[in-house]
Amino acid sequence: MTAQLLTGAAEPAADRTVVGENLSLPLFRTLSGVLAGHPYLKVVVDRAENTWHLLDTAAHPFHVNYIATRVLGMDLAALDADLDAFNASVYTDPGRRFLLGVLSLHTDEDTDGRERTFLVLETTEADTMHGELLVFFYEFVRARVDGRLPLLLKPANHGQEEELAAISEQRVPRILSHELFGSRTRTPLNPGEATGRLRYFRTHDEYAAYAAAGAGLGWADIVAMPCLPDDVPRVAGFLNTAPITPLSHTNVLASGWGIPNAIVRDLEELVEKDGLDGAWVRYRVREDGISLERLDHEPDLRPPAWHRQRIRLDPPLLEDVPVLALHRLRAADRDRYGTKAAHLGELHHVLDSRTADLTAFYGRPRPPREDLYGHLAARLGLDAPSPAELRAAAADFVAATVGAPEGVALPFALQQHFLASSPAIQQGIGKLKMALELDAGDVLDSLCLQLQHLIRHTPVPEPVARQIGHALPAPAGPDGRLVVRSSSNAEDLPGFSAAGVYDSVIAARGAGELLDAVRQVWASLLSPRSVRLRHQVGISLDDTYMGVIVQEYVPASLGGVLVTCDPTRRQDFRNVYLNCFPGSPEQVVEGSVLPQQYLYNTVEGGGRTVSLGSRGRELSAATRARLADLCLTGRLLQGHFSASDVDRPLDIEWLMTDRGDFRLVQIRPYAL
């Protein structure tokens, strides 16, 4: 039995594109494909000929290819040779001949609960149609579509939203992106495929009771519940029945682990209809579809590759080195102070020296384009700059847009001195190592919890406490508040992100609370979950150390996370995904709120709102413009921090101060 959630359309045998015909629902279905579960059809309006072209979706995946070859008589080689100029003529020229768009078919319920079918017209995200063109486009299509079908215009970006604000909704009925997709029943989060046993928990209490009963979740389980907890063990797949963001900790884990994850709001209906709870299923998540197939027998499964995976750590350097201000660190210091601290030190260097080449991402060929330097120049407001001028402008732009946090980094050596000061801690570590060697999972959790308790309550040796106290950031922020963050050598690694695994303390006050917070961060290295996750990938307890970052607490008017990619569309090199919410970024990181979500195009420019989150209100146009600058900054930093692979995205935690300045408080690779 198969519960098919989203399906694709069969490819037609021949090109059935039509020109000049009115559009009926049967003709729409004949020509359309399916994207994100909705039938869609590409349209091209030719203003010079006063006609339109309805493209056979399977035969013509790109508007511009069709226009060039079928309307203008060009060959593809000529188009590719001048693609950016051609795109500008159809997407940004205010007097353009061709208007390009997509019609998609949707259903909802009217006020009486009856199903209603309607069409949505939209352009590509990079299209800069002004208000007059948007009206012309809508009215042209409206006049040629079956009058019984409601037609709504969906602005594709914030610029179009602002253009439409001055136009009556009676003249141009519209729907915003977050209104159309914000309550979508099914949303892919992380693509992948898994075969396993579905474990469905309707509440977090059910999940906790299952774990308390000692049954445990294994590598062959696919876990489904409203929102998975951050401490979920490594399993075969995730299913969420309530809205979450692609930047949630659990989806970052899904991405790093390479397992499927999706939002399926009607899962309970499927579970009851097909008896899926506890059944063996084949689960697939793709950009254009989600499927859940019940199997009629238990499959012959082999342990996944990660059971044999071995993550290699560079040897930690434990010699006595001082507590250092963050701005004195560089990337190479990760072996002494941890990855997070080293990256913040490198960020200080990039901002202060302005010598790093931040244009590398734009220099990579994007066939048929040799590079994207021209697009970057346009984003920076430059006209045909030299390579040196472009690099200098990029460095100046980043330094003017963001700042790095002030603070200090505690080296691994301080943790080592602390652990060595307590015979009881040393004895506990020895027992834990033996349990790991013997694979004694039944005592592992209790040993870890005992060790954590010891670490939190063992006095810090006076020389260690003195080093920490003397290096406190100054000033220490309002009311002496400090933020204490983990900086381990066992995180942000290829194949092991450890997102949300280690502790941070965001409100430590004074020397006493600071030492408590440092011990809490040290103790998180020995939590049952972190020990199990590292052991699963072969990271030895002997090789794992924890540095600590102590930062000033900076009040935030807005905070959040951005990743320099679209997590749901891995092949997209244009967009940066940003989550935010009023206040500190921690509430977004921890998932205590459903954040506002945005996509910003860092190639052609423009942005759009994906979701208003639990706040339910849009940010001001001025703030959204500032966020566009922040996203471009993230993309530029990617070219430096991603080292040899400029397409490897970054995960950046940020805040906006009460003065409107941006601070980047964490920067690390985003696990793909």
Side-chain angles (χ1 to χ4, degrees):
M1 180 182 296
T2 299
Q4 187 68 34
L5 306 185
L6 303 180
T7 60
E11 184 175 345
D15 183 359
R16 293 177 288 194
T17 295
V18 299
V19 181
E21 292 187 21
N22 286 350
L23 181 63
S24 63
L25 193 53
L27 179 58
F28 179 93
R29 295 191 184 280
T30 297
L31 299 174
S32 65
V34 175
L35 182 64
H38 300 284
Y40 78 103
L41 171 66
K42 291 181 173 66
V43 300
V44 173
V45 171
D46 186 341
R47 298 170 73 199
E49 298 293 335
N50 195 37
T51 190
W52 70 339
H53 302 247
L54 308 176
L55 309 191
D56 182 341
T57 302
H60 301 290
F62 302 106
H63 290 89
V64 292
N65 287 16
Y66 174 83
I67 295 170
T69 60
R70 296 299 183 90
V71 181
L72 300 179
M74 300 170 59
D75 60 39
L76 288 179
L79 172 64
D80 289 348
D82 205 13
L83 182 60
D84 288 333
F86 192 93
N87 280 340
S89 74
V90 295
Y91 292 126
T92 63
D93 184 351
R96 68 193 75 167
R97 170 182 172 180
F98 299 104
L99 306 180
L100 284 56
V102 170
L103 280 167
S104 54
L105 189 66
H106 301 260
T107 58
D108 64 4
E109 292 184 354
D110 62 19
T111 54
D112 297 324
R114 293 172 298 191
E115 186 177 90
R116 177 183 73 136
T117 300
F118 62 99
L119 287 170
V120 171
L121 174 67
E122 62 181 306
T123 71
T124 185
E125 297 167 12
D127 199 301
T128 60
M129 280 193 197
H130 54 72
E132 183 180 336
L133 271 184
L134 288 167
V135 171
F136 177 89
F137 192 33
Y138 174 83
E139 292 180 344
F140 189 100
V141 174
R142 172 71 279 177
R144 290 160 179 79
V145 170
D146 188 333
R148 293 170 294 183
L149 282 172
L151 176 66
L152 304 176
L153 179 67
K154 181 170 81 68
N157 50 54
H158 293 144
Q160 289 187 4
E161 288 180 23
E162 293 166 13
E163 290 288 326
L164 284 172
I167 298 167
S168 165
E169 290 200 39
Q170 283 69 40
R171 186 176 184 186
V172 180
R174 69 207 62 167
I175 188 168
L176 301 180
S177 179
H178 62 83
E179 295 171 334
L180 186 62
F181 298 119
S183 58
R184 192 162 62 181
T185 303
R186 304 165 189 119
T187 305
L189 293 173
N190 195 64
E193 179 175 334
T195 298
R197 191 187 294 275
L198 186 69
R199 304 291 189 185
Y200 179 41
F201 305 102
R202 289 166 177 79
T203 66
H204 187 274
D205 289 343
E206 284 187 16
Y207 171 87
Y210 183 85
L217 293 167
W219 58 264
D221 288 323
I222 296 170
V223 186
M225 59 189 297
C227 287
L228 282 88
D230 285 352
D231 63 357
V232 64
R234 191 164 187 172
V235 293
F238 294 159
L239 271 164
N240 301 268
T241 61
I244 66 166
T245 167
L247 302 191
S248 67
H249 269 158
T250 51
N251 197 55
V252 172
L253 289 175
S255 177
W257 291 343
I259 63 174
N261 188 20
I263 301 169
V264 181
R265 291 188 175 187
D266 59 347
L267 181 65
E268 184 161 7
E269 300 171 22
L270 296 167
V271 166
E272 293 180 356
K273 174 177 176 291
D274 299 326
L276 296 179
D277 191 14
W280 290 97
V281 299
R282 183 172 292 110
Y283 172 40
R284 296 185 180 95
V285 177
R286 299 187 179 92
E287 182 185 334
D288 62 348
I290 304 167
S291 64
L292 196 62
E293 175 188 359
R294 177 169 179 169
L295 305 178
D296 57 9
H297 62 280
E298 180 176 341
D300 181 18
L301 295 179
R302 296 182 179 181
W306 58 264
H307 261 242
R308 303 182 300 275
Q309 181 184 23
R310 291 298 176 262
I311 302 296
R312 292 188 59 198
L313 294 182
D314 292 330
L317 301 179
L318 301 176
E319 74 271 20
D320 285 323
V321 292
V323 176
L324 283 183
L326 288 174
H327 71 264
R328 295 181 60 188
L329 299 183
R330 295 293 301 274
D333 290 313
R334 63 173 61 89
D335 298 331
R336 295 176 176 84
Y337 297 87
T339 306
K340 288 181 186 175
H343 280 178
L344 288 177
E346 187 70 16
L347 176 63
H348 271 282
H349 170 73
V350 168
L351 298 180
D352 294 341
S353 71
R354 305 193 189 186
T355 58
D357 179 6
L358 304 181
T359 68
F361 175 86
Y362 291 86
R364 177 164 178 171
R366 310 286 172 179
R369 304 169 182 86
E370 293 184 2
D371 56 60
L372 298 175
Y373 286 139
H375 289 282
L376 175 58
R379 301 282 69 76
L380 297 176
L382 303 176
D383 184 17
S386 69
E389 289 170 336
L390 187 61
R391 288 195 296 270
D396 289 344
F397 177 85
V398 168
T401 303
V402 301
E406 298 298 330
V408 299
L410 313 186
F412 298 154
L414 289 186
Q415 182 210 18
Q416 172 68 3
H417 287 317
F418 168 75
L419 296 177
S421 72
S422 168
I425 292 176
Q426 290 301 303
Q427 185 179 32
I429 292 174
K431 290 180 179 179
L432 179 58
K433 289 178 182 178
M434 183 174 295
L436 290 170
E437 290 174 5
L438 298 175
D439 202 20
D442 54 333
V443 300
L444 193 65
D445 286 11
S446 62
L447 288 174
C448 288
L449 293 173
Q450 290 169 17
L451 264 173
Q452 286 191 286
H453 179 81
L454 270 174
I455 290 171
R456 291 191 188 105
H457 294 88
T458 295
V460 178
E462 194 276 334
V464 174
R466 186 170 61 250
Q467 285 191 64
I468 296 172
H470 287 174
L472 281 179
D479 304 320
R481 291 179 65 179
L482 297 165
V483 178
V484 183
R485 300 180 184 275
S486 64
S487 183
S488 171
N489 65 332
E491 58 186 325
D492 303 336
L493 303 170
F496 191 76
S497 72
V501 171
Y502 305 122
D503 286 355
S504 293
V505 180
I506 62 170
R509 291 182 171 86
E513 288 191 12
L514 173 60
L515 291 180
D516 289 342
V518 169
R519 283 181 294 194
Q520 180 176 332
V521 173
W522 283 340
S524 68
L525 194 69
L526 292 166
S527 71
R529 181 171 182 244
S530 69
V531 169
R532 287 182 184 276
L533 289 175
R534 292 194 304 270
H535 184 61
Q536 287 171 352
V537 297
I539 297 177
S540 168
L541 194 62
D542 286 330
D543 295 333
T544 309
Y545 284 88
M546 179 66 76
V548 180
I549 301 167
V550 184
Q551 297 172 325
E552 296 178 29
Y553 172 80
V554 179
S557 60
L558 191 70
V561 179
L562 68 84
V563 294
T564 56
C565 66
D566 180 347
T568 64
R569 297 181 63 207
R570 301 300 173 80
Q571 76 281 9
D572 177 9
F573 61 83
R574 289 175 163 81
N575 285 297
V576 166
Y577 202 94
L578 180 143
N579 286 188
C580 62
F581 202 83
S584 72
E586 280 74 23
Q587 56 190 338
V588 174
V589 173
E590 295 167 357
S592 60
V593 297
L594 186 62
Q596 294 152 301
Q597 301 169 45
Y598 297 92
L599 273 172
Y600 284 96
N601 185 327
T602 59
V603 177
E604 290 88 3
R608 64 185 176 93
T609 304
V610 177
S611 171
L612 295 181
S614 53
R615 190 184 187 212
R617 287 191 289 132
E618 182 61 276
L619 295 172
S620 69
T623 299
R624 295 199 307 262
R626 295 289 315 286
L627 294 180
D629 289 345
L630 178 63
C631 288
L632 179 56
T633 293
R635 177 69 82 203
L636 291 168
L637 290 172
Q638 177 180 334
H640 179 74
F641 281 91
S642 296
S644 59
D645 182 5
V646 297
D647 275 344
R648 188 182 183 194
L650 297 180
D651 176 341
I652 297 174
E653 188 177 323
W654 58 272
L655 60 84
M656 179 186 282
T657 70
D658 294 336
R659 299 188 303 273
D661 302 324
F662 286 120
R663 299 275 185 92
L664 305 189
V665 295
Q666 182 172 296
I667 183 167
R668 62 184 180 185
Y670 178 65
L672 286 177

